[in-house]
Every structure is written in C-alpha cells, then in structure tokens.
Amino acid sequence: MDTIPTTGRSFLFVLASSRPGGNTEALARAAAEQLPAGVAQRWVDLSRTPLPDFQDGRHDDDSWTAGADEEALRHATLEATDVVIASPLYWYSVSAQAKRYLDYWSGWLSVPGSDFRERVAGRTLWGVTAMADREEVRADPLVASLRHTAAYLGMRFGGVLLGNGSRPGQIRNDERAMVRAKTFFAGEAPLATFPTALPPASV
C-alpha cells in the first residue's frame, strides 16, 4: 500500500463526543500517531467549541450572522485537506455534536464568496467511531451518512475506523481496532460515490 504523502497535507480532527478523553478520541489519536511528522494536525473539540443549533436561513431575507466559533471552525475546515469526524456511535449514527457540525456545512455552501463546495471537492473525509456493540454492521447508518456527505460534495472517502469500547479506556483492549489504526490513514482514498440503484426485478 502506498504511504501517505507529506507535502501539503493537513488533517483536521473533529472530536464530537459528549465525554472528553473517551474511546473514540483514543482511537483517533492512535491512528493519528502513525501520520508522518510532515503532516499537519489540528484538533478541535466540539464540546469546547459550542455551536448553537443550526438555523437554515438560505431562503430568508435576513442573512445569518456567523459567530466567532463558527467562523473559526469554517476556516479550519476549509484549510484542511483531510477532515476526520471522530464521533461515537449514538443511536446508530453520529453524535448530536457531529450532526450539528455537518448541518453547518449546509449553511457554508451558501456563504457569499466562500466557494465551500468547490474548495472541499477532492479533499478527503474520514470517520472514527467507538461503539458498545461488537457487531460492526450496526454502524452502517453512520458510515453511509459520512459516505453520502462526501459523495454529495465531490470529496474522497477514506472509510470509518471502528472499534469496540464503552467504559473509558476500553478501546485499547480491542486489538483488531488498534491494529487497523496503524494503517488507517495510509494510501489514497477513492472518490466517494452514491450507491447504484438496483434495476427493478422483472416480472
């Protein structure tokens, strides 16, 4: 497998857990430790970067006034070549914090002069999640949500690093997840695509 290039790469790790220092963060940091020294890393904890619930004002007369935290997060997102959503599996999908962050992407698509869609196209979206269930298929809705987001924006999708853990620190007992973390960011991720609809069955 090809190694990840160091030139010009910048990873934004978006921590979207309701618990600091949890299993998802530990798994994300284990994967990040394998990145070459020349690859920039920036970590943002959404629990320390509070965002109000997103209000869709694209069709309103009054423009949405962005707060300082939102603007900082938007710029951090646009500056990254790789965005990593680190969210525990909550009710079979991403956490409320991660969903709110992605909701803001909808607003950023219409910010005058931001060219958000054009600038994130071709960049890579990744996911990292810890889950209490040992059946990884239970995380399929979370994986699909991130893959479809990447496909809609013309991004690459590196997949989701899954691990098992509920109590603090338990993720480190998941040997398979820790092994996968060592090579998770290696290689080049493919462009994301929506699943192809199956043709109707013949009668």
Side-chain angles (χ1 to χ4, degrees), residues 2 6 16-17 40 63 81 92 104-106 133 140 149 162 184 192:
D2 296 334
T6 60
S17 176
S63 60
T81 61
Y92 310 106
Y104 270 82
W105 287 25
S106 299
D133 201 303
D140 282 356
T149 298
L162 299 171
F184 181 59

Side-chain angles (χ1 to χ4, degrees), residues 166-185:
S166 179
R167 297 182 62 83
Q170 196 173 28
I171 191 69
R172 300 195 179 279
N173 297 328
D174 187 343
E175 295 183 4
R176 186 171 63 166
M178 301 311 289
V179 168
R180 287 188 295 196
K182 293 181 180 298
T183 58
F184 181 59
F185 293 125

Side-chain angles (χ1 to χ4, degrees), residues 86-147:
S87 167
L89 184 70
Y90 287 157
W91 289 109
Y92 310 106
S93 190
V94 295
S95 66
Q97 292 89 336
K99 181 60 169 61
R100 185 181 296 113
Y101 168 61
L102 292 175
D103 283 347
Y104 270 82
W105 287 25
S106 299
W108 297 343
L109 285 170
S110 58
V111 172
S114 73
D115 299 326
F116 186 80
R117 182 191 296 273
E118 292 77 8
R119 293 175 66 180
V120 299
R123 303 187 186 192
T124 305
L125 183 65
W126 310 79
V128 177
T129 189
M131 50 192 293
D133 201 303
R134 294 185 179 276
E135 297 293 332
E136 293 186 349
V137 68
R138 306 289 171 83
D140 282 356
L142 179 149
V143 176
S145 177
L146 295 181
R147 181 191 294 115

